[in-house]
Amino acid sequence: MNDKICEFVESHKSEMVRDLAELVAIPSVSGDPERGAPFGAEAKRALLKMEELCKGMGLKTWVIGDAVLCADLGEEPELGILAHLDVVPAQTENWITDPFALTEKDGVLFGRGAIDDKGPAVAALWALNAVKSLGIPLKKGVRLIFGTDEENGSKDLEIYKQHAKFPPKVFTPDGSFPVINVEKGMLSVRFNGNTGGNYMEFRGGNIPNAVADKAKTIMRKVTADKVRAAIPEESEAKFTVTERGDNVFISCDGRAAHASTPEKGVNAVTALLSLMNRVTDEPGLRGIEKLFPFGETDGAALGLKCADESGALTCVLSMLAIMPSGECEGTVDIRFPTCVDLQTVKDKLCAVLESHRLKCEIIIGSEPHVVPEDSGFVKQLLSVYERVEGEKGECIAIGGGTYVHNIDGGVAFGAERGDTDYHMHGANEFITTDELLKDAVLFAHAIVEICG
């Protein structure tokens, strides 16, 4: 059976890449709700494109609330494979290719959504098509579920739950192999207040759940020479300083990373804050830097530092805007381990922010998600991984929340592998062609293992 599945997938490589290209070409960043498109027109367009692909394979499809697409093979689905078609924004100037035109270079497929999560979604689709086309008998049904709001809180799944039940077993290719069974809790907070200054403006970051790779400011009452002299020699952040009349323009280039792994990035927001405080004396600005020091990722300055077997707490000041009036607004992303609960983290964070005269608003909050390693579902997926990949399969814990974070018993199965940096949420996101095919083979075997 393995040979047949591999042969089928390999023989349809060009179609898989074509399908992925068509989805990547749709800039499906969640947008303002419209009639018939609760998460924006582009997200809905991606949903309709995937529906077209599913119908072309003879799958039974229906759309729930203009937000979620279901594609079934068989009756009474035992297994659900949950993927999302929405993506984070892309700053085109940082890409080596057009982010919304899938580009292949030496076996690497570049494009926004290639790994998160359009590539894995296409692999899941072709996995089910392989099982169907090869006539592999299934005793239980399979449901593909494609949503459009994973990147902004998964409100699409709330719509799904109003109309349908999730199958008893659900995995998402929105994480890593072998199996992710533990996900940290998540807290996203927006704060606002006034720095007290009236001589600068600042903007940095445009994604709430990523380390900012760009920040810029306009400063007065300082000189460009003074700013340049204050730049640390060994800083990983890169600064550009330009003087125009009485204004000094400073831009900072950092390195993007997912908010769950901030140690892999260089935060342009906190780097620029640190530089500004070297050349000016503004208590409000210093207060923000004190809470979010450049290079710190564990929330120690906020009194939140903690860790257990699921990992350490991470904290990212992902977005910050300061107006010339001193009015400011920022976003903080926190991932916390199983040794602490949401209420505790929320209370500590808001208390510290409010002590600095910053009002806080909770955007997203969820407890850690844990599925026992010895559950039958986890064992089935690990068995498939070991058989197909030929290596030991083990459970892992992560800081990022996958699409199944709020689904009982749900786990992540794919699609990142090892320590590879796929530039998820950053510039030049990619998946390799070989891995796209491997994912389809693995998912096909998982379908047969669980439903065959």
Side-chain angles (χ1 to χ4, degrees), residues 139-274:
K139 295 180 180 179
K140 301 174 182 178
V142 184
R143 173 171 295 169
L144 302 181
I145 307 170
F146 302 103
T148 52
D149 188 51
E150 189 275 340
E151 299 292 359
N152 288 280
S154 299
K155 295 181 289 295
D156 53 343
L157 298 188
E158 295 304 313
I159 296 173
Y160 175 92
K161 287 189 288 187
Q162 292 171 10
H163 298 86
K165 292 182 179 180
F166 284 109
K169 299 175 181 178
V170 179
F171 77 74
T172 181
D174 183 40
S176 303
F177 289 117
V179 171
I180 295 172
N181 71 314
V182 177
E183 301 176 16
K184 293 178 184 174
M186 296 179 287
L187 176 63
S188 182
V189 171
R190 183 183 297 115
F191 67 81
N192 62 76
N194 196 302
T195 64
N198 60 0
Y199 52 87
M200 68 185 70
E201 64 179 79
F202 181 109
R203 288 195 179 276
N206 68 343
I207 303 173
N209 58 351
V211 175
D213 62 350
K214 296 283 185 182
K216 59 184 179 180
T217 188
I218 304 172
M219 297 188 70
R220 303 176 180 87
K221 300 183 181 180
V222 297
T223 65
D225 287 342
K226 184 177 181 180
V227 174
R228 292 190 185 101
I231 297 174
E233 293 183 5
E234 302 299 324
S235 177
E236 290 187 86
K238 306 301 179 186
F239 299 93
T240 302
V241 183
T242 307
E243 195 165 19
R244 303 175 195 167
D246 294 333
N247 298 332
V248 175
F249 293 76
I250 313 169
S251 62
C252 178
D253 291 310
R255 183 170 63 248
H258 194 280
S260 65
T261 54
E263 68 282 355
K264 294 181 179 179
V266 177
N267 195 326
V269 168
T270 55
L272 186 52
L273 273 178
S274 178

Side-chain angles (χ1 to χ4, degrees), residues 190-193 319-323 326-331 361:
R190 183 183 297 115
F191 67 81
N192 62 76
M319 300 170 65
L320 182 66
I322 304 175
M323 301 297 104
E327 291 295 322
C328 71
E329 181 175 286
T331 303
E361 172 192 358

Side-chain angles (χ1 to χ4, degrees), residues 339-357:
C339 62
V340 66
D341 60 34
L342 175 63
Q343 192 66 48
T344 299
V345 177
K346 185 190 305 182
D347 290 348
K348 285 186 177 181
L349 175 63
C350 290
V352 174
L353 290 175
E354 289 168 3
S355 72
H356 284 71
R357 299 181 180 179

